[in-house]
Structures are given as C-alpha cells and as structure tokens.
Amino acid sequence: MTTVNETVEEFRLRARTWLAESMPRLDDRVAPATRAELLDHDRELQRTLWDGGFAGICFPADHGGLGLDPEYQQAFTQESLPYDMPFTFNVPTLGILAATLVDFGTKEQKQRHLPAILRGEELWVQFLSEPTGGSDLAGSLTRADRDGDVWIMNGSKIWSTAAYESDYAMCLARTNWDVPKHRGLTMFIVKIHQPGIQIDQIRQVDGSMEFCQEFFDDLTIPAENVIGDVDDGWSVASRLLLHERAAVGGGSPYTSGRTLGGATRGRDPLMVRLARRAGRVDDPIARQLVADAHVDQLVAAALVSRVTEGSRSGSLAPAAGAILKLFNAVTGVRRTEIMLELAGSDAIDWAEDDEEGNSIANTFLSRQGYCLGGGSNEIQRNIISERVLGMPREWAADRDVPFRDVRGNSMPTTR
Ligand SMILES: Cc1cc2nc3c(=O)[nH]c(=O)nc-3n(C[C@H](O)[C@H](O)[C@H](O)COP(=O)(O)OP(=O)(O)OC[C@H]3O[C@@H](n4cnc5c(N)ncnc54)[C@H](O)[C@@H]3O)c2cc1C
C-alpha cells in the first residue's frame, strides 16, 4: 500500500522492486493467439496491479484508486516500460471512460464501476460515432425516450472498437429534438450484453474484425444510468473528448505503461533491429530513417510534458490535448512508413510465421486509423485553431436551430 507522504522517488523504488517480482517482462512475452486470450491475459495483469496496490494511481482513493498526483503515475510508467502491462485496459477504459466517470458519475455510479474496472472486471467502449458521420458528434440521431423509470433507446452506433468483448459502453443519444443539437443530448451507461442490442463485427483491410456496429431496438436503460444531467450530455461528451485526446496523445495520468501506437518514450530498439535485419545498418539512408523515428519520439516526450504541464497550470487551453493527438497521428503514420522503408523489398513478402513482419505489414495497412480514431486530423486542426489559438469559429448551418428543423435530420431512428 502507498505509505502516507511517500515521495515520488520512494514510490518509484517500491514500484521497481514490485514490478520485477510481480509482472512478466515484455522480452519474454508470447503473443496470445486470439483476442479472447489477449483479453483474459490483460484482465489477469490488471488484477495483479490491483492486488499489488498499483492500479489506478491517479484515481480517487475513495473509489478504489490511490489518489496520487500524475508525477507518481509518470514514475510508475517509466519503471514499467520493460514489462508486460494490461494495455487493453488503457484506452478507452481507463484513460477515457473511467476518467469521465470520475468527473461526471454519481457517487453510486463511481462505486459500482470504478473499483470493478481497476480490478480488471469491466472493459468499456465508446458508443459515439454513427453511420451518418463521427466528426459531427453532436448531430447524433440515436435517440432515447423516457418511459416511466427507464429510457428506451433506438438507433445505431458504429466503429466501436471491440464492443463485442466489452462489458459496458458510454453512449451519447438524443433526448430532446426541440433545442439546438448540442443542448438535446444525454450520456448513458449501457450494459452491452443484453436483449435490445445487436452487435455486428466489421472486417477491415488488415483482416481484423475489431470494429463493430451496434443496433439498438427498444433497448431498456435504467434512469440511474444517466451520466451528468439529462439533455446536458454534450458537457459529458466534451470532457470525454478531452480525456480521449490526452490518452491517445500519450498525456493521460490514468493509463499505465507505454503509449498507444507501440511507441515507447525512450530508445526504440525496433527500428535498429529492422535495419539490421535488412542488412542496412551502414546504409546512410537507413541510418537517417532510424534517426528520424528516434527524434519523433524525443519530440513526443517533450511535447507531452509541455502540453500536460501547460494544461495543468492554465498557460494552455485544456483543448491543447488536440496538439498531442495530431502529433501522435502524423508521427504514427510516419513511423509505419519508416518501418516499411527500412525493411525494403522484404516488406511486401514477410514469411507466414514471421510475427513481427506480419504485424508491421498489418500496421501499415491500417495506418490511417491514427488519423481518424479519437477524431480526425482535420477536426484536431479545427480545435487547435479555434480553441487554442482563438481564431474565429467555423461556420455551421445548424447552429442555434432546433434539431428537428435542421435539414437532413430526417430521424431515421424515430420509433
Ligand atoms: C482506430 C479507430 C478506432 C475508433 N474507435 C471508435 C470507438 O471506439 N467508438 C466510436 O464511437 N468511434 C470510434 N472510431 C470512429 C472515429 O471516431 C471516427 O472515424 C472519426 O470521428 C471520424 O468520423 P467518420 O469516420 O464518420 O468520418 P466523417 O465524420 O464522415 O468525416 C469524413 C472526412 O471529412 C472530414 N471532416 C468532417 N467534418 C469536417 C470539418 N468540420 N472540417 C474539416 N474536415 C471535416 C474528416 O476529417 C474526414 O476526413 C474509431 C475510428 C478509428 C479509425
């Protein structure tokens, strides 16, 4: 357990010892054969963190966390880089959805879900994007209508990552059609595996089936599952998006271990290994590519520190997380390209049993996901210009118009 007044350095040393004794090393990791095995494995690792007293370092102490400052989480993350960690739980469960629950959940909701999440018992997913478009999140057509003690939901969400294996979702739905779009939304906790929800998996270009589309057909949701106030779901969604940009950009205090996209924030042995494998360690072009990737990582680390500190001190707007998200997307794509360039002609013909090679090829195929997941690059640029740099807002035809009067909102999900 955390001792009262333990300094960051004392905490770091205790974490170092505990990690060495309790967590498997990444070098010894045998990749689980299936998604289901990976999830079981990560649930166990999350439980190990909980049992060891290192789960939820920045989560409130009265809801299962340690209630410590981000410096403690940062120290733990630095120490944990050589170890296998429950990465599946980082995003969106811990970094985005549990974080939003801390900010907006009722005491009862937090007590019900936060300790269970920190024990690895609940995996969460976001039900935000819809088939009509994910960028215009406030244009949600999925609807929820109050019926006595419950809400009845109808409509469809899409691009939800691994919804089929998750336990709960945060779902944004329209609850009021008579006010402008941002003012008629409500955020709900939705239990995933129950009657009224059909989940279809979508095959992607790299062969994976993680993306899902959900169909809600008179789904019943208890009234106590509303997060925040009815019709004020946009406040909850906005906070969720702030957490998302921080988590996806690598600046969240709620996640443990290496950041998304596989990038560690220190030296990256992968690029050197790829150059060596291709017999190109002395090739000046290959050396330049390895250096490019390394510099991106150094800049990422400095950027994360600067934006996190700036947002905390108030010198940067909270929306500055969009800078991290954009940087992560642009360099994430570049990183996959460098991997392929380093591998040269081998890159198009990895052997069947070459796990690393196949993983690189698949990451390359799905690389544009970095530029879309968590909000597209164009949307991040809009946010940076409007909310960080204070430039004029983009024109919108539907601003201040009751949602039912906006052209195109023909309410396909109306019951
Ligand atoms: C890896 C990954 C994981 C994801 N996980 C989830 C998830 O778990 N849950 C979930 O709900 N969604 C998820 N998404 C969906 C993601 O949030 C959306 O793809 C994203 O918000 C964009 O929405 P869209 O795909 O509908 O594109 P659209 O909104 O239709 O946009 C199409 C294009 O138009 C551009 N555009 C749109 N509006 C503007 C504007 N105002 N100014 C300039 N350009 C604009 C966009 O940048 C984009 O290039 C995920 C996506 C990816 C790739």
Side-chain angles (χ1 to χ4, degrees), residues 92 125-137 157-162 204 211 244 366 368-379 382 394:
V125 63
Q126 311 179 74
F127 286 172
L128 301 175
S129 304
E130 300 196 1
T132 43
S135 301
D136 183 21
L137 194 56
K157 296 283 175 179
I158 194 167
W159 312 128
S160 20
T161 309
Q204 291 183 82
F211 272 144
E244 175 158 44
S366 53
Q368 289 305 327
Y370 291 118
C371 305
L372 286 167
S376 71
N377 285 5
E378 291 74 23
I379 295 299
N382 282 353
E394 176 183 33

Side-chain angles (χ1 to χ4, degrees), residues 62-177:
D62 46 354
H63 296 298
L66 304 189
L68 296 173
D69 290 340
E71 292 75 32
Y72 290 80
Q73 177 61 65
Q74 218 172 354
F76 186 81
T77 288
Q78 283 160 358
E79 294 301 322
S80 74
L81 289 179
Y83 297 95
D84 198 0
M85 294 285 288
F87 299 116
T88 313
F89 276 82
N90 272 345
V91 178
T93 303
L94 290 164
I96 305 176
L97 301 170
T100 306
L101 209 55
V102 169
D103 295 340
F104 281 93
T106 61
K107 204 169 164 209
E108 192 275 331
Q109 287 169 347
K110 290 185 207 179
Q111 207 44 43
R112 188 169 11 127
H113 295 292
L114 290 178
I117 289 173
L118 294 174
R119 286 194 300 267
E121 290 160 12
E122 290 184 8
L123 193 71
W124 283 53
V125 63
Q126 311 179 74
F127 286 172
L128 301 175
S129 304
E130 300 196 1
T132 43
S135 301
D136 183 21
L137 194 56
S140 171
L141 293 174
T142 292
R143 62 184 297 146
D145 299 282
R146 185 78 193 234
D147 184 5
D149 288 345
V150 297
W151 292 85
I152 306 294
M153 186 177 282
N154 282 280
S156 179
K157 296 283 175 179
I158 194 167
W159 312 128
S160 20
T161 309
Y164 62 92
E165 64 180 14
S166 302
D167 305 292
Y168 287 90
M170 257 185 214
C171 181
L172 193 64
R174 186 153 309 281
T175 43
N176 188 340
W177 297 75

Side-chain angles (χ1 to χ4, degrees), residues 291-342:
D292 280 356
H294 184 59
V295 168
D296 279 351
Q297 295 215 359
L298 293 179
V299 175
L303 195 62
V304 166
S305 304
R306 184 155 182 191
V307 170
T308 311
E309 184 46 40
S311 303
R312 198 156 5 124
S313 68
S315 66
L316 279 174
I323 300 172
L324 298 182
K325 164 73 182 77
L326 181 61
F327 186 85
N328 191 62
V330 173
T331 54
V333 171
R334 177 70 186 128
R335 199 177 134 80
T336 60
E337 287 167 354
I338 290 176
M339 287 177 192
L340 244 74
E341 284 175 48
L342 281 175

Side-chain angles (χ1 to χ4, degrees), residues 24-84:
R25 290 188 68 85
L26 266 180
D27 292 344
D28 304 331
R29 187 174 200 263
V30 180
T34 61
R35 282 281 312 179
E37 280 177 30
L38 173 67
L39 181 56
D40 286 347
H41 173 78
D42 281 5
R43 281 190 198 273
E44 243 174 71
L45 289 183
Q46 184 63 39
R47 177 73 201 204
T48 307
L49 285 183
W50 168 273
D51 290 340
F54 287 101
I57 291 168
C58 292
F59 281 89
D62 46 354
H63 296 298
L66 304 189
L68 296 173
D69 290 340
E71 292 75 32
Y72 290 80
Q73 177 61 65
Q74 218 172 354
F76 186 81
T77 288
Q78 283 160 358
E79 294 301 322
S80 74
L81 289 179
Y83 297 95
D84 198 0

